[in-house]
Amino acid sequence: MREPHFWSNPQRHPGWQAHLLAPLGGLYALATKRRVAKAPEGYKARVPVVCIGNINAGGTGKTPTTIAVMQRLQTQGVAAHVVSRGYGGSLKGPVRVEERTHRAAQTGDEPLLLAAFGPTWVSKDRAQGVAAAEQAGAEVILLDDGFQNPSVQQDAAIVVVDAQRGFGNGRCLPAGPLREPVTTGLARADLVLSIGNRAAQEVFTSLWGAQIASLPHATGALEPLPTGMDWRETPFLAFAGIGHPEKFFDTLRALGANLVHTEALQDHQALPPALLTRLAAEAQMRGAQLVTTEKDAVRLPKEMRAQVLTLPVRLNLDDWSPLDAMMSRIGVPQRPA
């Protein structure tokens, strides 16, 4: 589902649609509150558990955040494992994801991408996944999503937010983009991480600075990895099935790429042969090169991966000290390499 335009309206003027849907948003918020508050006590791991989640529905940058945090811990000599529900995958788990043998249809696209950076587990039952990671030697467990799921006790929680979009109009689904009210969610958070360029960060601080003032706040931006590719030389047909495909297209344009066509897909959308055949035929007709995101690339059939370029991006934090301090506070071991 494409995000309705009124979800991005200012909090003070959310739009008539948001007002009309406000009662349903209130019910959604109440259901989330009850699920979090009244569920049986979750599984308590023997090692620190850090949730990387969000208050918004849809893409905010959780996957690149998980990659960045995992790599940060690895440089400090910490064995970090990721546990995910494996959205879109068929495996019930718990099972450790093998990048070379599993397929996205089995594990979900995000776990398959994460497995390239470190030990990653999929489990529909998060508690079982955490227990499996513990047994395999994890010293810290990163929960990929699950901020509103109480089945595992969390020692710390990072709320990831797109700095440009912020918390939208401040309303809960379907009146707005939120899974729960901002104040309710932030009351359980230990750190807010806003992702975006300097201008976007200024917008976020101006609109939401008061709400996050009591929490440590880290900022960062997604930046393309240098690949040696001159993006200005070739016409491109870009496609993406992520939370906000236009961000990927804008990144390509910022690199100088000439996008002759863009195909915005649904988040996690399957890539059936008919769709890929159409995209390949259109690219050939336009004399363009196909290009997509890393997350979409893992859903491509093996026989087509050589035909599609991938633009890798990584999250760079302006200052790691808020996150390092949080990890130290909950007892994550740090052994500088």
Side-chain angles (χ1 to χ4, degrees), residues 5-6 83 95 102 152 158 167 198 206 228 248 281 315 320 323 336:
H5 66 86
F6 65 88
V83 173
V95 62
H102 282 126
V152 175
I158 302 170
F167 299 111
R198 182 174 299 178
S206 67
F248 173 63
L315 174 64
W320 280 95
L323 189 137

Short mmCIF file of all heavy atoms in Angstrom, two decimals, residues 5-6 83 95 102 152 158 167 198 206 228 248 281 315 320 323 336:
data_model
loop_
_atom_site.label_atom_id
_atom_site.label_comp_id
_atom_site.label_asym_id
_atom_site.label_seq_id
_atom_site.Cartn_x
_atom_site.Cartn_y
_atom_site.Cartn_z
N HIS A 5 -1.05 10.61 1.21
CA HIS A 5 -0.36 11.89 1.27
C HIS A 5 -0.61 12.61 2.58
O HIS A 5 0.26 13.33 3.09
CB HIS A 5 -0.76 12.78 0.08
CG HIS A 5 -2.20 13.21 0.11
ND1 HIS A 5 -2.63 14.33 0.79
CD2 HIS A 5 -3.32 12.66 -0.45
CE1 HIS A 5 -3.94 14.47 0.64
NE2 HIS A 5 -4.38 13.46 -0.08
N PHE A 6 -1.81 12.44 3.16
CA PHE A 6 -2.12 13.20 4.39
C PHE A 6 -1.34 12.70 5.60
O PHE A 6 -1.28 13.38 6.61
CB PHE A 6 -3.63 13.20 4.66
CG PHE A 6 -4.22 11.84 4.98
CD1 PHE A 6 -4.24 11.37 6.28
CD2 PHE A 6 -4.76 11.06 3.97
CE1 PHE A 6 -4.80 10.13 6.59
CE2 PHE A 6 -5.32 9.82 4.26
CZ PHE A 6 -5.34 9.35 5.57
N VAL A 83 18.28 -11.42 15.23
CA VAL A 83 17.10 -12.28 15.22
C VAL A 83 15.96 -11.52 14.55
O VAL A 83 15.67 -10.38 14.93
CB VAL A 83 16.70 -12.73 16.63
CG1 VAL A 83 15.37 -13.49 16.61
CG2 VAL A 83 17.78 -13.60 17.25
N VAL A 95 16.08 -20.85 12.61
CA VAL A 95 17.10 -21.36 11.71
C VAL A 95 18.09 -20.24 11.40
O VAL A 95 17.69 -19.08 11.25
CB VAL A 95 16.48 -21.92 10.42
CG1 VAL A 95 15.75 -20.83 9.64
CG2 VAL A 95 17.54 -22.57 9.53
N HIS A 102 20.17 -20.29 1.26
CA HIS A 102 18.78 -19.91 1.44
C HIS A 102 18.33 -18.94 0.35
O HIS A 102 19.15 -18.26 -0.28
CB HIS A 102 18.55 -19.27 2.81
CG HIS A 102 18.47 -20.27 3.92
ND1 HIS A 102 19.27 -20.20 5.05
CD2 HIS A 102 17.69 -21.37 4.07
CE1 HIS A 102 18.97 -21.21 5.85
NE2 HIS A 102 18.03 -21.93 5.28
N VAL A 152 9.92 -11.00 23.96
CA VAL A 152 11.31 -11.04 24.44
C VAL A 152 11.57 -9.77 25.24
O VAL A 152 11.24 -8.67 24.79
CB VAL A 152 12.30 -11.13 23.27
CG1 VAL A 152 13.75 -11.06 23.78
CG2 VAL A 152 12.10 -12.42 22.48
N ILE A 158 16.28 0.95 20.33
CA ILE A 158 16.59 2.08 19.45
C ILE A 158 15.38 2.33 18.56
O ILE A 158 14.93 1.42 17.86
CB ILE A 158 17.82 1.78 18.58
CG1 ILE A 158 19.05 1.47 19.44
CG2 ILE A 158 18.11 2.95 17.64
CD1 ILE A 158 20.23 0.93 18.64
N PHE A 167 7.62 11.83 12.43
CA PHE A 167 6.51 10.98 12.84
C PHE A 167 5.22 11.38 12.12
O PHE A 167 4.12 11.19 12.63
CB PHE A 167 6.33 11.05 14.36
CG PHE A 167 7.55 10.56 15.12
CD1 PHE A 167 8.33 11.44 15.84
CD2 PHE A 167 7.91 9.22 15.08
CE1 PHE A 167 9.45 11.00 16.54
CE2 PHE A 167 9.02 8.76 15.76
CZ PHE A 167 9.80 9.66 16.50
N ARG A 198 21.61 16.80 6.38
CA ARG A 198 21.60 17.88 7.36
C ARG A 198 20.29 18.66 7.32
O ARG A 198 19.73 19.00 8.38
CB ARG A 198 22.78 18.83 7.11
CG ARG A 198 22.86 19.97 8.11
CD ARG A 198 24.13 20.78 7.91
NE ARG A 198 25.32 19.95 8.11
CZ ARG A 198 26.56 20.40 7.97
NH1 ARG A 198 26.78 21.67 7.62
NH2 ARG A 198 27.59 19.60 8.17
N SER A 206 13.31 20.60 14.45
CA SER A 206 12.37 21.70 14.63
C SER A 206 10.97 21.21 14.95
O SER A 206 10.23 21.85 15.71
CB SER A 206 12.35 22.59 13.38
OG SER A 206 11.80 21.89 12.27
N GLY A 228 33.42 2.56 -7.85
CA GLY A 228 34.19 2.78 -9.06
C GLY A 228 33.31 3.01 -10.28
O GLY A 228 33.82 3.23 -11.38
N PHE A 248 15.60 5.94 -3.01
CA PHE A 248 16.61 5.25 -3.81
C PHE A 248 16.81 5.98 -5.15
O PHE A 248 17.95 6.20 -5.58
CB PHE A 248 16.17 3.81 -4.04
CG PHE A 248 17.04 3.04 -5.00
CD1 PHE A 248 18.38 2.79 -4.71
CD2 PHE A 248 16.52 2.55 -6.20
CE1 PHE A 248 19.18 2.07 -5.60
CE2 PHE A 248 17.31 1.84 -7.08
CZ PHE A 248 18.64 1.60 -6.78
N ALA A 281 12.82 -6.02 -20.84
CA ALA A 281 12.49 -5.64 -22.22
C ALA A 281 12.45 -4.12 -22.36
O ALA A 281 12.93 -3.57 -23.37
CB ALA A 281 11.13 -6.24 -22.60
N LEU A 315 24.86 3.14 6.43
CA LEU A 315 24.54 4.18 7.39
C LEU A 315 25.80 4.66 8.08
O LEU A 315 26.54 3.86 8.66
CB LEU A 315 23.55 3.65 8.44
CG LEU A 315 23.23 4.59 9.60
CD1 LEU A 315 22.53 5.85 9.10
CD2 LEU A 315 22.38 3.88 10.64
N TRP A 320 29.07 8.23 17.35
CA TRP A 320 28.69 6.93 17.89
C TRP A 320 28.55 6.94 19.42
O TRP A 320 28.09 5.96 20.00
CB TRP A 320 29.73 5.88 17.50
CG TRP A 320 29.56 5.35 16.11
CD1 TRP A 320 30.20 5.78 14.99
CD2 TRP A 320 28.69 4.29 15.70
NE1 TRP A 320 29.77 5.07 13.88
CE2 TRP A 320 28.85 4.14 14.30
CE3 TRP A 320 27.77 3.47 16.37
CZ2 TRP A 320 28.15 3.18 13.57
CZ3 TRP A 320 27.07 2.52 15.64
CH2 TRP A 320 27.25 2.39 14.26
N LEU A 323 25.24 5.79 21.20
CA LEU A 323 24.97 4.36 21.08
C LEU A 323 25.98 3.55 21.90
O LEU A 323 25.62 2.58 22.57
CB LEU A 323 25.00 3.93 19.62
CG LEU A 323 24.52 2.50 19.37
CD1 LEU A 323 23.61 2.44 18.16
CD2 LEU A 323 25.69 1.54 19.17
N PRO A 336 38.18 -3.80 22.19
CA PRO A 336 38.69 -3.20 20.96
C PRO A 336 39.64 -4.13 20.22
O PRO A 336 40.53 -4.72 20.83
CB PRO A 336 39.41 -1.93 21.44
CG PRO A 336 38.74 -1.61 22.73
CD PRO A 336 38.39 -2.93 23.36
#
